[in-house]
Amino acid sequence: MKNIYINILCILALGLVLASCSNYLDDAPKGSKIPTTLADYEAFLRDEYTNQSVDIAQASTLINDKFIDIATLAAQRLTKANYMWDESADRIQLNQADERQYYGQYAGISTFNLIIANALTTTEATEDQKRAVWAEAKILRAMSYYNLVNFYTDTYVASTAKTKLSVPLITSADINAPSKQVTIQELYDFILNDVKDALPYLPKVSQTALHPNLGAGYAFYSRVYLQMNNYTEALKYADLALAENNKLYDWVAYYNANKAIIDIPNSYTATPSPMGYDYVENYTYRHGERTYLSTEYSIPVERAQRFEAGDVRFKSRWKLRTVGADTYYRRTLSGMFNYGGITTVEVYLIKAECLARAGQISDALDVLNKVRKTRIEPSAYQDIVTADKTVALNAIFKTKYNELILTIIPFADARRLNAEGTYKLSLSKTAGGVNYALATDSHLWTMPFPQGATKNPGNGTITQNVAK
């Protein structure tokens, strides 16, 4: 696990000395500064490309949410194993690199641990200001652990969560801090407790898009409870989140404003992404996999076919293209994309699912249709109307899967629904004349720890969570 702290060691090299190391330094090196004020620690939250990014490349690859070209499949064996649903591949052996999701999330956790340990004793700030930064770091740490537990371990199932292992739990920013690979239940309890601690101190208005506000705390609570199949609590916190922010972006208006560019045949001129720092649906912003690039991923033809007819959010983002042997839907937005944070549309659809599961089908569809009206062009739009619970839930799942494409949520939801067994997500495709399918109970749904983590666990132990 020592590799987890590479980013912190870099900070040391720059002179921003960790508090735990201060006993060994009587004076700061010339030209450097030991963090003492709240502003010193709060600045770490703004390190968005290290601490505020969520790299779920292999999860999006597995569910074929992004297009992988023939050349990449030939060169990247782990990517090919997931993209082509190769049950026989030994992904543990193929995953020999320091995977960005694992080390990236732990680098952020180390930073948030540092803030949590020191924010309340800093100078040049009021107690309320100190508590706010402390609470923001708690939410971000909990979000990072959620990403890890829903990537490297089996999904939450109450009957097995107390016996199955999750990921190493680290609560200190100290170099060589001890770690323990806790159970899934223990990690979810830790996540919930972090949110509980933070909620009373979160500001209603964010300092920046990177700082979680009260709405973000409620929204994340709702996400976690949904993953635990606790629909009562998920609905409760969805309502509280929407009371803080219930805005939906008008994609129909966006499409109409940019239609002259979007609809040009065989043209892939980019239009600006509205899903950046100031997206009206944001509760909190975190980057996805492509942090330094200003475009999103192209998507496979089979994936594009699962969007609803008349979905202008889809039409504004991708366009069919063939290059050599590759046919796919090429991305056409340029800018920033909130793939790692939380948005109102996710919370609306959590609320819709919870209402439908409670038998409140009409109310659930009212919520769903409210979202759809901002996404489906008027000429194609019709309210979804049904009294059938299964039909309603499947419509909600379809919309959510499309709305949150390229985030961790479709992957996490599929795992949750497959484990539940009632609304399983089955995936299939044809490539090169061969039919492929991803079984709902496949071991591929759990990603293996990278070899660097298992071979060098630092001051702890790690047990691999999959056989291959």
Side-chain angles (χ1 to χ4, degrees), residues 198-239:
L199 282 178
Y201 307 104
L202 289 170
K204 290 179 71 68
V205 179
S206 299
Q207 187 173 353
T208 74
L210 303 174
H211 292 68
N213 56 23
L214 183 59
Y218 288 143
F220 179 61
Y221 230 175
S222 181
R223 175 192 287 182
V224 176
Y225 276 121
L226 182 72
Q227 200 65 30
M228 300 175 74
N229 303 303
N230 187 334
Y231 307 116
T232 301
E233 291 299 299
L235 177 59
K236 170 185 172 181
Y237 286 103
D239 280 333

Side-chain angles (χ1 to χ4, degrees), residues 282-467:
N282 287 348
Y283 287 113
T284 188
Y285 180 97
R286 300 184 89 180
H287 291 284
E289 179 184 350
R290 298 169 73 94
T291 52
Y292 296 101
L293 301 177
S294 60
T295 56
E296 56 185 342
Y297 277 101
S298 299
I299 64 175
V301 172
E302 293 88 353
R303 181 64 185 88
Q305 291 169 347
R306 294 201 289 274
F307 280 85
E308 186 174 349
D311 188 333
V312 294
R313 188 170 185 261
F314 165 75
K315 291 175 68 174
S316 298
R317 296 169 71 182
W318 295 286
K319 186 179 290 187
L320 187 65
R321 188 181 194 187
T322 297
V323 179
D326 291 320
T327 297
Y328 58 97
Y329 276 78
R330 186 184 185 276
R331 76 289 184 281
T332 58
L333 284 188
S334 177
M336 293 297 180
F337 304 87
N338 187 7
Y339 287 151
I342 305 180
T343 57
T344 57
V345 70
E346 177 185 347
V347 178
Y348 271 111
L349 296 171
I350 289 174
K351 178 175 181 176
E353 178 180 344
C354 293
L355 289 170
R357 286 184 180 274
Q360 298 173 248
I361 308 301
S362 178
D363 291 340
L365 293 178
D366 285 345
V367 175
L368 173 63
N369 289 326
K370 181 175 182 178
V371 170
R372 293 177 59 249
K373 285 175 183 175
T374 64
R375 272 60 177 170
I376 310 300
E377 55 188 333
S379 61
Y381 180 83
Q382 288 186 331
D383 277 347
I384 295 175
V385 180
T386 182
D388 187 292
K389 180 178 179 180
T390 298
V391 172
L393 280 169
N394 282 329
I396 293 165
F397 297 146
K398 177 179 179 179
T399 297
K400 190 178 181 188
Y401 192 15
N402 290 332
E403 282 293 322
L404 299 172
I405 187 173
L406 301 176
T407 75
I408 197 172
I409 299 305
F411 179 71
D413 272 358
R415 287 157 38 98
R416 170 174 64 90
L417 296 173
N418 288 343
E420 179 192 14
T422 306
Y423 307 100
K424 293 182 179 182
L425 176 68
S426 59
L427 296 175
S428 61
K429 65 181 177 182
T430 301
V434 179
N435 296 326
Y436 296 87
L438 177 61
T440 57
D441 60 352
S442 172
H443 70 275
L444 297 174
W445 287 102
T446 298
M447 298 296 163
F449 291 127
Q451 285 196 32
T454 55
K455 290 182 177 180
N456 184 16
N459 191 9
T461 60
I462 303 177
T463 299
Q464 187 62 261
N465 285 325
V466 290

Side-chain angles (χ1 to χ4, degrees), residues 67-114:
F67 172 70
I68 309 295
D69 61 39
I70 294 172
T72 301
L73 291 177
Q76 299 180 10
R77 296 169 63 197
L78 177 62
T79 296
K80 181 179 180 180
N82 283 321
Y83 193 68
M84 301 307 297
W85 306 326
D86 185 356
E87 294 267 356
S88 66
D90 188 341
R91 296 180 304 158
I92 296 172
Q93 290 300 316
L94 297 179
N95 193 12
Q96 297 185 30
D98 290 349
E99 196 190 340
R100 291 168 294 175
Q101 168 71 340
Y102 188 84
Y103 294 109
Q105 293 306 292
Y106 275 112
I109 286 168
S110 185
T111 297
F112 305 139
N113 285 341
L114 178 70

Side-chain angles (χ1 to χ4, degrees), residues 5-82:
Y5 299 106
I6 288 175
N7 290 289
I8 299 301
L9 291 173
C10 291
I11 293 170
L12 280 167
L14 291 171
L16 291 176
V17 182
L18 296 177
S20 61
C21 298
S22 61
N23 292 338
Y24 304 98
L25 295 173
D26 294 325
D27 300 294
K30 186 176 181 180
S32 63
K33 179 181 180 182
I34 296 174
T36 56
T37 69
L38 182 66
D40 293 335
Y41 285 96
E42 184 272 330
F44 288 113
L45 295 180
R46 300 170 188 257
D47 183 5
E48 57 188 283
Y49 298 116
T50 299
N51 302 322
Q52 299 273 18
S53 62
V54 182
D55 186 342
I56 54 139
Q58 293 302 327
S60 292
T61 296
L62 182 77
I63 60 177
N64 283 204
D65 267 7
K66 64 178 184 178
F67 172 70
I68 309 295
D69 61 39
I70 294 172
T72 301
L73 291 177
Q76 299 180 10
R77 296 169 63 197
L78 177 62
T79 296
K80 181 179 180 180
N82 283 321

